[in-house]
Amino acid sequence: VRVGILGATGYTGQELVRLLRRHPDVDLTYLGSSSMMGHSYQEIYPNRVEENGILAAEAVPELDVLFCALPHGITASRGPELLGKVSHLIDLGADFRLRSVMDYESWYGIKHPEPELLLSAVYGLPELYREDIQGHRLVANPGCYPTATLLALTPLLRASLLEPDSIIIDAKSGVSGAGRGLSAGTHYAEVNENIKAYGVGEHRHTPEIEQELTRAAGRRVTVNFTPHLVPMTRGILVTIYADVTEGVEEQELRAEWWKAYKDEEFINLLPVGTWPQTKFAYGSNQVFLQMKLDPRTKRIIIVAVLDNLIKGAAGQAIQNMNILAGLPEGKGLGGGGLWP
Amino acid sequence: VRVGILGATGYTGQELVRLLRRHPDVDLTYLGSSSMMGHSYQEIYPNRVEENGILAAEAVPELDVLFCALPHGITASRGPELLGKVSHLIDLGADFRLRSVMDYESWYGIKHPEPELLLSAVYGLPELYREDIQGHRLVANPGCYPTATLLALTPLLRASLLEPDSIIIDAKSGVSGAGRGLSAGTHYAEVNENIKAYGVGEHRHTPEIEQELTRAAGRRVTVNFTPHLVPMTRGILVTIYADVTEGVEEQELRAEWWKAYKDEEFINLLPVGTWPQTKFAYGSNQVFLQMKLDPRTKRIIIVAVLDNLIKGAAGQAIQNMNILAGLPEGKGLGGGGLWP
Amino acid sequence: VRVGILGATGYTGQELVRLLRRHPDVDLTYLGSSSMMGHSYQEIYPNRVEENGILAAEAVPELDVLFCALPHGITASRGPELLGKVSHLIDLGADFRLRSVMDYESWYGIKHPEPELLLSAVYGLPELYREDIQGHRLVANPGCYPTATLLALTPLLRASLLEPDSIIIDAKSGVSGAGRGLSAGTHYAEVNENIKAYGVGEHRHTPEIEQELTRAAGRRVTVNFTPHLVPMTRGILVTIYADVTEGVEEQELRAEWWKAYKDEEFINLLPVGTWPQTKFAYGSNQVFLQMKLDPRTKRIIIVAVLDNLIKGAAGQAIQNMNILAGLPEGKGLGGGGLWP
Amino acid sequence: VRVGILGATGYTGQELVRLLRRHPDVDLTYLGSSSMMGHSYQEIYPNRVEENGILAAEAVPELDVLFCALPHGITASRGPELLGKVSHLIDLGADFRLRSVMDYESWYGIKHPEPELLLSAVYGLPELYREDIQGHRLVANPGCYPTATLLALTPLLRASLLEPDSIIIDAKSGVSGAGRGLSAGTHYAEVNENIKAYGVGEHRHTPEIEQELTRAAGRRVTVNFTPHLVPMTRGILVTIYADVTEGVEEQELRAEWWKAYKDEEFINLLPVGTWPQTKFAYGSNQVFLQMKLDPRTKRIIIVAVLDNLIKGAAGQAIQNMNILAGLPEGKGLGGGGLWP
C-alpha cells in the first residue's frame, strides 16, 4: 500500500510515522508539512530513528491512502483536490465526522467549506461500522473521547438496555490530546500536580458522540459530556453513568458486550471486579472495558480506557487503512502496551 | 490551647504538626505514636524543622484538645478513656461520622466498639454546622470527599433546587489520600502516567455523603459516588451532576451558594466561566466552586476542589478546634496555597 | 515597611505576594505590571485569595522597599529612576549580580545599561554576607542554582579544604524555574516522563557561581556547571564533586559547615547518611545539606536542596528586606514545607 | 528459538514477554514464577494481551535460551542445574557480571554460591563485546547504569583520550529501576515532585562500571558514581565528567565514537548541540549520545540516555539471544520509542 501523511510533524502525525514504518505491507512515501518543508524528519524528531525522510511540500502525489492530520477546516477545504489524487483519504481531524452541516458550523464556529463531502464520508469506527467502511473513499476517523464512549455504549443502546436521556460521560484525558501547540493550559508548571475540568458543556466531541448514540438508540440522544485534564501525557479514561431500562440486570448488559466484542482483537472485557487503568492501554491499540450495575440506584457505571494517540487516533486510522486495503484489520497494530 | 495528636506520624498527623506549630494560640505538647515511641520527630520527618519533640507513648496527658489521626476502629475503642482525659476530642478518622451503627458496621466491616458515642458526636463541617459544633466534646471531622461534595450540594438541597435521586458524584483524588501505607496501588511506577477508578460503588465515604445529603434534603438521598486515583500527590476535584427541579434556573442555584458562603473565609465562588483546578487549593484550607446548568439536559454540573490533607483533613480539624476554643475560626489557617 | 513589587504576576512575583501578605510587619501597597495594568490580581490568580488589589502601571510610588521581578536588562535600565523613588531596591533578576561588566555582557549578550550601578550593589546571600547587606540601597538577590551551590561550598573554600580547580556542579531543577513564558521546553507532554540536560557549558548562573567562589577561595575559580530539567514543578538539587585538599578528612569539612551554619534558621545539616530530597524544602525557605567523602577517590560529594521559588528567589528576597528594615531576618518565613 | 523466562512477573520479566511475543523467530514456551505458579499471566497483567499462558513452577524444561530475571544470589545458586537443562542462560541479574569473587562478595554482601561460574560467563554488552558473546553458554546481561556509562566511555578510554582517574558519573533514573517491590522509597506520594540522590558511594553498579572501564583503559579505574531517583517511571540519563588527556580536542573524541558506532543500529550520535532526553529512548532499545568539551576547564561532559527496562535490561538480553542464536542482532527490537 502506497501511503502518505499530511501534517506529519504533529503528535498524531509522528505516531502514524512510527506505526506505519513497522507495518509490513506499507510503503510510506510522502510526509507533508506546511511549516517544515525541506527539513529532515530527524531534525524535528531526533528520536524517530525509523524515519530518514525529508518533509515535502503540501502537493500530494498519487497514493493509495493519504492520512490527514491537520487542524479542522483545512482538510475539508482541500478535500476535492486531495480526492483527485489519492484513492482513499483518512481524515484524523474533525471535518467529516458530523453528518449535519449545521452541527459542524455551530460547534466548530466556521462555515464548512465542502458540505457535500460530509455525505460521502463514513464514520470510521471499525468495531461498529466495519462493513460500511469498506469501499468508502473518504473516512472520518473518530475522535478519542467518542471512540471510548461509543465502544462502551453502542451495543447497550442498540439492545435498548439503557435510558437514552440519562447518559452522563465524565472523561479524563492526558495532555497530549491537546497537541503540540503551546498554551498556558499545557504549560508544565500549571498542569503538573493539578486536575481541572475544561470545555464544560461545550466540548466539540459532544455532537459527535450524540450523533452516533442517536444512531444506536434509534432516537435523539443528548448527553452531558465533561472532559478533564489529568497530569499525564497519554491515555483517556471515560466514566459513564446511565439508568438502565426498568428491570435490566448487569448480566444482560455484559451479554451484549460479549456478543459485540468477543472476537475483537482490540476490545478487552475485563473480569468482573478488575477496573481498567489508562496504563493498560499505554502505547497500544487496545481498549479495556468494565461495568457495574449499582443495585441501590439502578444506574450502570462503565469505565473505558484507551491510548488517545493510538486507538484514539493513529492506530484506529491504520485499522481503517487495513480495511480499505483488504489487509487483516489488526496488521501492524498487535500486542499490548508498555508497563509500567 | 493545650493540644496533642495521636497518630502524629501519618500524613494527616504531620500536617497537623505543621499547621499547629504556626498557630499563635496553640501549645502543642503531646505527639503520640504507637510505632515510633521514643524517636525524635525529625528522625522520621527531617523536613519538619518546626518540630523538635520526641514521640511519646499512647498514654494521653490532660489536654484541651486531642486530635486523633488513627485507623478506623482504634479511636472508637479508646473513646471513653480519651474523653476522660481531654476536654475535646477531634477524630480525623471515620469512627464517629455515621450516626447509624448499622451503616458503620456494614460499610466498615467491623463492629463499632462504642456505639453510644455515635450519638454524642457532632459532624464537624464548620460552614454547615458551625453552631452545632460549639460545646460538643466529640467532633467527627469529615472525610475529604464528603467535605467537597457537601459544601457544593447542601445549600442547593436545602432550598429544594435539585432532584435528590439524580445525584452523581465523580471524584478525582491525588494519592496522598491513601496515606503512608505501602501498597501496589500507591507504587510510583504503577500510579504515574495512569488514572483509574477504584472502590466503584463501594467507597466508605458514600454513606457519610448520603447521611448528610439526606439531612439537607429532608428525605432519603442515595447517590452514585465514583472516586478515581489521579497521578498527583495532593488535591481533590469532585464533578457533580444532578437534575434541577423543574423550572429552576442557574441564577437561583448561584444565589443559594451566595447566601450560604458570601461571608465564608474559606469558600470561594469563582466568576462565571472560571473553573476550579485542584492546584488553586494546593497547600491551603480553601475551597473553590463553580457550576453550569446545561440548558440541553437541564442538569447542573458542579465542580469543587480542595486540598485533601488540609480542608479535607488537618485544616478543617483546626477550624473545629478554633470553634471549640472560642478563637476566630480561621486563625492559623489563612491565605492561599502554593502556585505553581 | 511600605513595600511594592514590579513584575507582580510572574511566578516569583506572585510568590512574593503570598509571602508578603502574611508578613506581620509589611504593608504591601504597590503591585506593578506592564502587561496587566488595571486588572484585579485575582483575575490572573483566582487562587491568590489574600490579594484583593488592582495591578498598577509601572510608575512606582515612594516605598521603603521595592522588589523587582522583571526580565534582565529592564531593571537595570530603570535603576536610577527607581532608586530616586524608593529607599531600597531588591532585584530578583540578574542585572546586579555580576560585578564585572564584561562578564555580564558576554554571558547575557546585551550591553549593561547602567554599569556604574554594579559597584553599588551588594550580593544578597544573607548567610554569607549578612553584614554587607545592611545599609545597602541596592541588593542583587542571588540566582537559585548559585544559592544552593554557594551555601554548600563557601565555608569549605574559605577554609581551603577543597581544590578550587576540581569543582563540578551537576544541578537538577523543577520546571517552574523557567517561568511562565511558553516554550516547547516547558510543554507538559514533552517535559513529563523526561529528563534532559540544558545550557551545557553555557548557563548564565556559571559566572555568578564563579564570581562568589573566587571570592571565597581567594583565587580564580572556574567550574563545570550542568543544569538538568526534571519532571517536577518546584525544587532544586545540586550534586557537587570536588577533590579535597591533600589529607583533609570528612570531619574537617563537616566542622566548617557546623561553624558556619549551626545558628542559621534556614540551613539544615542533616545527620550522617540522611540525604536531602527536594521535597524536604517544598514550599519553605529551608536548605538541606549533606556530604560524603569517598575514601576511594578522595573526592567530596555534596548534595544541597532548596525550593527555587522561595530560598532560590522570593523567600531570600524577603530575608534581605528583613535585614534592610532591621527586622528579625526570618520574620514571616519560618517553618518547614509541605509534605508529602 | 525455544525460549523461557524465570521470574516472568517482575518488570523486566514482563518486558521480556512483551518483546519476545512479537519476535518472529521466538517460541516462548516457559514462564516460570516462584510465587504465582498456576495463575494465568493475564491475572497478574490484564494488559499483557499477547500472553495467554499459565505461570509454571520453577522446574525448567529443555530450552535453547533461558532468561533469568531473579534477585541476585538465586540464579547463581541454581546455575549448574539450569545449565544442565538449557543451551544458553542469559542472566539479567547481577550474579555473573563481576569477574572477581571478592568484589561480588564485598558489594553484594553475600557469599557467591558458584564462584567458578564467574569465569565461564561473558559480559553481554553487544556493541563492545559482540564477538566474545558468540558461543558462550552463560551471558551476564549488564546493568542499566553500566550500559549507558560503558557505551559512552569505552571507545574514548580505549583510545587513551581521557584521564582515567578523573571520571565522575552523575546518573538519574526513573523509578521502575527499583522493581515491583514496595518500599517507602517508591511510594508515589514521596517520589512525585521530588528528586534525591541514593546509594551515594555505595551503589552496586560501581564495581561493574569500574571492571569494564579498567578493561578499556588497560589500567585500574576508580570512579565516582552517584545515582539519583527522578519522578518518572522509565529512563536513565547519565552525565559524565572527565578530564581529557592533555591536548585532546573534541573532534578526536567524536571521531572515536563515530568509528565505534557508525554502523550500530541502536547507538545514535546526535548532531552537535542536540542533547539527549530520556524520552528519546522511551519504549525502545535505542541509546542517544552527546558530548561537549568545555574549553575553560578542559573537561568533557557526556550525556547518554536509554530506557532502563529495554536497552538497560530486556532489550539488551534479546540482542544477546539473537547473537547466540545466529539471528540478526536487532531482530524484534527495531524502531524508535513512544513520543510524546
Side-chain angles (χ1 to χ4, degrees):
Chain A
V1 197
R2 261 177 73 88
V3 166
I5 304 170
L6 254 181
T9 63
Y11 286 158
T12 303
Q14 61 86 34
E15 189 74 334
L16 282 166
V17 170
R18 181 176 76 89
L19 293 169
L20 291 168
R21 277 291 173 221
R22 65 182 204 193
H23 191 299
D25 300 312
V26 161
D27 187 13
L28 175 58
T29 59
Y30 170 72
L31 301 173
S33 165
S34 59
S35 53
M36 302 301 292
M37 188 185 83
H39 292 261
S40 81
Y41 202 78
Q42 287 192 12
E43 258 178 86
I44 300 154
Y45 288 113
N47 54 315
R48 200 76 293 134
V49 297
E50 58 278 82
E51 182 53 64
N52 298 308
I54 302 292
L55 287 156
E58 294 191 310
V60 172
E62 296 198 0
L63 296 166
D64 295 318
V65 178
L66 175 69
F67 295 93
C68 286
L70 299 170
H72 68 265
I74 299 179
T75 306
S77 65
R78 298 186 57 189
E81 165 216 340
L82 296 171
L83 286 167
K85 287 291 199 53
V86 306
S87 307
H88 301 280
L89 190 161
I90 300 174
D91 181 23
L92 289 92
D95 280 359
F96 305 109
R97 292 176 187 160
L98 300 181
R99 268 179 296 275
S100 152
V101 181
M102 216 168 64
D103 275 355
Y104 181 88
E105 299 188 352
S106 82
W107 286 86
Y108 286 86
I110 57 170
K111 221 175 133 47
H112 197 289
E114 299 284 344
E116 68 287 359
L117 280 180
L118 290 183
L119 300 176
S120 69
V122 65
Y123 190 76
L125 188 37
E127 288 81 2
L128 300 180
Y129 308 121
R130 188 168 282 133
E131 289 71 24
D132 286 4
I133 295 165
Q134 284 171 331
H136 266 83
R137 294 195 56 212
L138 178 55
V139 177
N141 209 57
C144 48
Y145 291 124
T147 297
T149 303
L150 298 173
L151 289 170
L153 288 176
T154 300
L156 312 182
L157 279 175
R158 284 180 178 167
S160 302
L161 300 181
L162 304 181
E163 294 293 344
D165 287 337
S166 68
I167 297 169
I168 290 170
I169 303 148
D170 189 282
K172 296 92 179 166
S173 173
V175 182
S176 62
R180 282 185 92 198
L182 304 181
S183 73
T186 57
H187 192 51
Y188 183 86
E190 306 200 1
V191 170
N192 185 41
E193 275 288 288
N194 201 2
I195 176 167
K196 63 181 168 205
Y198 70 100
V200 180
E202 299 168 356
H203 195 282
R204 287 162 171 174
H205 285 176
T206 310
E208 184 181 339
I209 291 168
E210 290 178 349
Q211 166 182 288
E212 298 303 317
L213 293 185
T214 294
R215 174 146 55 142
R219 44 158 291 196
R220 178 81 198 143
V221 177
T222 307
V223 302
N224 279 112
F225 169 61
T226 313
H228 298 76
L229 199 67
V230 175
M232 61 187 200
T233 299
R234 279 176 179 241
I236 279 184
L237 180 145
V238 297
T239 312
I240 304 174
Y241 303 87
D243 296 337
V244 296
T245 308
E246 180 82 37
V248 165
E249 300 293 333
E250 185 175 306
Q251 214 32 62
E252 298 171 68
L253 299 160
R254 289 187 180 277
E256 289 302 320
W257 271 5
W258 179 252
K259 272 199 292 182
Y261 298 134
K262 65 180 186 300
D263 297 326
E264 289 294 341
E265 179 177 356
F266 298 121
I267 314 289
N268 302 276
L269 306 176
L270 289 168
V272 175
T274 299
W275 288 86
Q277 315 183 4
T278 52
K279 215 185 233 305
F280 283 2
Y282 206 88
S284 82
N285 200 50
Q286 304 291 330
V287 175
F288 294 85
L289 295 172
Q290 185 53 282
M291 70 163 63
K292 179 172 190 168
L293 181 59
D294 188 315
R296 307 183 324 133
T297 61
K298 298 293 175 203
R299 255 180 229 122
I300 189 78
I301 302 142
I302 299 174
V303 175
V305 304
L306 51 76
D307 184 317
N308 55 305
L309 293 178
I310 306 183
K311 183 60 178 171
Q316 183 142 277
I318 292 172
Q319 264 185 283
N320 281 313
M321 176 201 76
N322 285 336
I323 293 173
L324 297 173
L327 297 168
E329 191 180 308
K331 198 81 180 270
L333 295 169
L338 288 185
W339 184 272
Chain B
V1 197
R2 262 178 71 87
V3 165
I5 304 168
L6 256 182
T9 63
Y11 287 158
T12 303
Q14 62 86 34
E15 190 73 336
L16 282 167
V17 170
R18 181 176 75 89
L19 293 169
L20 291 169
R21 278 289 174 224
R22 65 183 204 193
H23 192 299
D25 301 312
V26 161
D27 186 14
L28 177 58
T29 59
Y30 169 74
L31 300 174
S33 165
S34 58
S35 52
M36 301 301 289
M37 190 183 81
H39 292 262
S40 81
Y41 203 77
Q42 288 193 11
E43 259 178 87
I44 301 155
Y45 287 111
N47 54 315
R48 201 72 296 134
V49 296
E50 57 279 83
E51 182 52 65
N52 298 309
I54 303 294
L55 288 156
E58 294 190 311
V60 172
E62 295 197 1
L63 296 167
D64 295 318
V65 178
L66 176 69
F67 295 94
C68 285
L70 299 169
H72 69 265
I74 298 179
T75 306
S77 66
R78 295 187 59 189
E81 167 216 339
L82 296 172
L83 285 167
K85 287 290 198 56
V86 305
S87 306
H88 300 281
L89 191 161
I90 300 174
D91 182 24
L92 289 93
D95 280 357
F96 305 110
R97 292 176 187 160
L98 300 182
R99 269 180 294 276
S100 152
V101 181
M102 214 167 66
D103 276 357
Y104 182 88
E105 297 187 354
S106 83
W107 287 86
Y108 285 86
I110 57 169
K111 221 174 135 43
H112 197 289
E114 300 285 342
E116 68 286 359
L117 281 179
L118 291 183
L119 299 176
S120 68
V122 65
Y123 190 75
L125 190 36
E127 287 82 3
L128 300 180
Y129 307 122
R130 189 168 283 133
E131 288 72 24
D132 287 4
I133 295 166
Q134 284 172 330
H136 265 84
R137 295 195 56 212
L138 178 54
V139 177
N141 208 57
C144 49
Y145 290 123
T147 296
T149 304
L150 298 173
L151 289 171
L153 288 176
T154 300
L156 312 181
L157 279 175
R158 284 181 177 166
S160 301
L161 301 180
L162 305 181
E163 294 292 345
D165 286 338
S166 68
I167 297 169
I168 289 170
I169 303 149
D170 190 282
K172 298 90 177 167
S173 174
V175 182
S176 62
R180 283 185 91 198
L182 305 180
S183 73
T186 57
H187 193 51
Y188 183 87
E190 308 201 357
V191 170
N192 185 41
E193 274 289 287
N194 200 2
I195 176 168
K196 63 181 168 202
Y198 70 100
V200 180
E202 298 169 357
H203 195 282
R204 288 163 172 175
H205 284 176
T206 311
E208 184 181 339
I209 291 169
E210 291 179 347
Q211 166 183 288
E212 300 303 316
L213 293 184
T214 294
R215 175 144 57 139
R219 44 158 291 196
R220 177 85 198 140
V221 177
T222 307
V223 302
N224 279 110
F225 170 62
T226 313
H228 298 75
L229 199 67
V230 175
M232 61 187 198
T233 300
R234 279 177 178 240
I236 279 183
L237 182 146
V238 297
T239 313
I240 305 174
Y241 303 88
D243 295 338
V244 296
T245 308
E246 180 82 36
V248 165
E249 300 294 334
E250 187 175 305
Q251 214 33 61
E252 298 170 68
L253 298 161
R254 289 188 181 276
E256 290 301 322
W257 271 5
W258 179 252
K259 274 199 290 181
Y261 298 134
K262 65 177 185 302
D263 298 325
E264 290 293 343
E265 179 176 356
F266 298 121
I267 314 289
N268 303 276
L269 306 177
L270 289 168
V272 175
T274 300
W275 286 87
Q277 314 182 5
T278 53
K279 216 187 234 303
F280 284 2
Y282 206 88
S284 83
N285 199 51
Q286 305 292 329
V287 175
F288 294 84
L289 294 173
Q290 186 54 283
M291 68 162 65
K292 180 173 191 168
L293 180 60
D294 188 315
R296 308 182 324 131
T297 62
K298 299 293 177 203
R299 254 179 230 124
I300 188 78
I301 303 143
I302 298 174
V303 174
V305 304
L306 51 76
D307 183 317
N308 55 306
L309 293 178
I310 305 184
K311 184 60 179 169
Q316 183 142 276
I318 292 171
Q319 264 185 283
N320 281 313
M321 177 201 74
N322 285 338
I323 293 174
L324 296 174
L327 297 168
E329 190 179 310
K331 198 83 181 270
L333 296 169
L338 289 183
W339 185 273
Chain C
V1 198
R2 262 177 73 87
V3 166
I5 304 169
L6 256 181
T9 62
Y11 286 158
T12 304
Q14 61 85 34
E15 190 73 336
L16 282 167
V17 170
R18 182 177 74 88
L19 292 169
L20 291 168
R21 278 286 174 225
R22 64 182 203 194
H23 192 299
D25 302 312
V26 161
D27 185 14
L28 176 57
T29 59
Y30 169 74
L31 300 173
S33 166
S34 58
S35 52
M36 301 300 291
M37 192 183 81
H39 291 261
S40 80
Y41 203 77
Q42 288 192 12
E43 260 178 86
I44 301 154
Y45 288 112
N47 53 315
R48 202 69 302 131
V49 295
E50 57 279 82
E51 183 52 64
N52 298 310
I54 301 294
L55 288 156
E58 293 191 310
V60 172
E62 296 199 0
L63 295 168
D64 295 318
V65 179
L66 175 69
F67 296 93
C68 286
L70 299 169
H72 69 265
I74 298 178
T75 307
S77 66
R78 296 188 58 189
E81 166 215 341
L82 296 172
L83 285 167
K85 286 292 197 54
V86 305
S87 306
H88 300 281
L89 190 160
I90 300 174
D91 181 24
L92 289 92
D95 280 359
F96 304 109
R97 291 176 189 159
L98 300 181
R99 270 179 293 276
S100 154
V101 181
M102 215 168 64
D103 276 357
Y104 181 89
E105 298 188 354
S106 84
W107 287 87
Y108 286 86
I110 58 170
K111 220 174 136 45
H112 197 289
E114 300 285 343
E116 68 286 359
L117 280 180
L118 290 183
L119 300 175
S120 69
V122 65
Y123 190 75
L125 189 38
E127 287 82 2
L128 301 179
Y129 307 121
R130 189 168 284 132
E131 288 72 24
D132 287 3
I133 294 165
Q134 285 171 329
H136 267 83
R137 296 195 55 213
L138 178 54
V139 177
N141 208 56
C144 49
Y145 291 124
T147 296
T149 303
L150 298 173
L151 289 170
L153 288 176
T154 301
L156 311 182
L157 279 175
R158 284 180 178 168
S160 301
L161 301 181
L162 305 180
E163 293 293 343
D165 286 339
S166 68
I167 297 169
I168 289 169
I169 302 148
D170 190 282
K172 298 91 178 167
S173 174
V175 182
S176 62
R180 283 185 92 198
L182 303 180
S183 74
T186 56
H187 193 51
Y188 183 87
E190 306 202 359
V191 170
N192 185 40
E193 274 290 288
N194 200 2
I195 176 168
K196 64 180 168 203
Y198 71 100
V200 181
E202 298 168 357
H203 195 280
R204 288 163 170 174
H205 285 176
T206 311
E208 184 181 339
I209 291 169
E210 291 178 348
Q211 166 182 288
E212 299 302 317
L213 293 183
T214 294
R215 176 148 51 143
R219 44 157 291 194
R220 176 86 199 139
V221 177
T222 307
V223 302
N224 279 111
F225 169 61
T226 314
H228 298 75
L229 199 67
V230 175
M232 60 187 198
T233 299
R234 279 176 179 240
I236 279 183
L237 181 145
V238 297
T239 312
I240 305 174
Y241 303 87
D243 296 338
V244 296
T245 307
E246 180 82 37
V248 165
E249 300 293 334
E250 187 175 305
Q251 214 34 61
E252 298 171 69
L253 298 161
R254 288 188 181 276
E256 290 302 320
W257 271 4
W258 179 253
K259 273 199 292 183
Y261 299 134
K262 64 178 184 303
D263 298 326
E264 291 293 342
E265 179 176 357
F266 299 122
I267 314 289
N268 302 276
L269 306 176
L270 288 168
V272 175
T274 300
W275 287 87
Q277 313 183 6
T278 52
K279 215 186 233 303
F280 283 2
Y282 206 88
S284 82
N285 199 50
Q286 305 292 329
V287 176
F288 293 85
L289 295 173
Q290 186 52 283
M291 68 163 63
K292 180 173 191 169
L293 181 59
D294 188 314
R296 306 181 327 132
T297 62
K298 298 293 175 203
R299 254 180 232 124
I300 188 77
I301 303 142
I302 298 173
V303 174
V305 304
L306 52 74
D307 183 317
N308 54 307
L309 293 178
I310 305 184
K311 183 61 179 170
Q316 183 142 274
I318 292 171
Q319 265 185 282
N320 281 313
M321 177 200 76
N322 286 336
I323 292 174
L324 297 173
L327 297 168
E329 191 179 310
K331 199 84 183 268
L333 295 169
L338 288 184
W339 185 272
Chain D
V1 197
R2 262 177 72 89
V3 166
I5 304 169
L6 254 180
T9 63
Y11 286 158
T12 304
Q14 62 84 34
E15 189 74 334
L16 282 166
V17 170
R18 181 176 75 91
L19 293 168
L20 291 167
R21 278 289 174 224
R22 65 183 204 192
H23 191 299
D25 301 312
V26 160
D27 186 13
L28 176 57
T29 59
Y30 168 74
L31 300 173
S33 165
S34 59
S35 52
M36 302 301 291
M37 190 183 82
H39 292 262
S40 81
Y41 203 76
Q42 288 193 11
E43 260 178 87
I44 301 155
Y45 288 112
N47 53 315
R48 201 76 292 135
V49 297
E50 57 278 83
E51 183 53 64
N52 299 308
I54 302 293
L55 287 156
E58 294 191 307
V60 173
E62 296 199 359
L63 296 166
D64 294 319
V65 178
L66 176 68
F67 296 94
C68 286
L70 299 169
H72 70 265
I74 298 179
T75 307
S77 65
R78 296 187 57 188
E81 167 216 339
L82 297 172
L83 286 166
K85 287 292 198 50
V86 305
S87 306
H88 300 281
L89 190 161
I90 300 174
D91 181 25
L92 289 92
D95 280 358
F96 304 110
R97 292 175 187 161
L98 300 181
R99 270 179 295 276
S100 153
V101 181
M102 216 168 64
D103 275 357
Y104 181 89
E105 298 187 354
S106 84
W107 287 86
Y108 286 86
I110 58 169
K111 221 176 135 44
H112 197 288
E114 299 286 342
E116 68 286 359
L117 281 179
L118 290 184
L119 301 175
S120 69
V122 65
Y123 190 76
L125 189 38
E127 287 82 1
L128 301 180
Y129 307 121
R130 188 168 282 132
E131 289 72 24
D132 287 4
I133 294 164
Q134 285 171 330
H136 267 83
R137 296 195 53 213
L138 178 56
V139 178
N141 209 58
C144 49
Y145 291 123
T147 297
T149 304
L150 299 172
L151 289 170
L153 289 176
T154 300
L156 311 182
L157 279 175
R158 284 181 178 168
S160 303
L161 301 181
L162 304 181
E163 294 294 343
D165 286 338
S166 68
I167 297 168
I168 290 169
I169 303 148
D170 189 282
K172 296 91 178 168
S173 175
V175 183
S176 62
R180 282 186 91 199
L182 304 181
S183 74
T186 57
H187 192 51
Y188 183 86
E190 307 201 358
V191 170
N192 185 41
E193 274 289 288
N194 200 2
I195 175 167
K196 64 180 169 204
Y198 71 99
V200 180
E202 299 169 356
H203 194 281
R204 287 162 171 175
H205 285 175
T206 311
E208 184 180 340
I209 290 168
E210 291 179 347
Q211 166 182 288
E212 299 303 316
L213 292 184
T214 293
R215 176 145 55 140
R219 42 157 293 193
R220 177 82 199 143
V221 177
T222 307
V223 301
N224 279 111
F225 170 61
T226 312
H228 299 75
L229 199 67
V230 175
M232 60 187 200
T233 299
R234 279 174 180 242
I236 278 183
L237 179 145
V238 297
T239 313
I240 305 174
Y241 302 88
D243 296 338
V244 296
T245 307
E246 180 81 37
V248 165
E249 300 293 333
E250 187 175 304
Q251 215 32 63
E252 298 171 68
L253 299 161
R254 290 188 180 276
E256 290 302 321
W257 271 5
W258 179 253
K259 274 198 294 183
Y261 299 135
K262 64 179 186 300
D263 298 326
E264 290 294 341
E265 179 176 357
F266 299 121
I267 314 288
N268 302 275
L269 306 176
L270 289 169
V272 176
T274 300
W275 288 88
Q277 314 182 4
T278 52
K279 215 186 233 305
F280 283 3
Y282 207 87
S284 83
N285 199 50
Q286 304 292 328
V287 176
F288 294 85
L289 294 172
Q290 186 53 281
M291 69 163 64
K292 178 172 192 170
L293 181 59
D294 188 315
R296 307 182 327 132
T297 61
K298 298 295 176 199
R299 256 180 230 122
I300 188 78
I301 302 142
I302 299 173
V303 174
V305 303
L306 52 75
D307 184 317
N308 55 304
L309 293 178
I310 306 183
K311 184 60 179 172
Q316 183 142 276
I318 292 171
Q319 262 184 285
N320 281 313
M321 177 201 76
N322 286 336
I323 293 173
L324 297 173
L327 297 168
E329 191 180 307
K331 199 85 180 266
L333 296 169
L338 288 184
W339 186 271

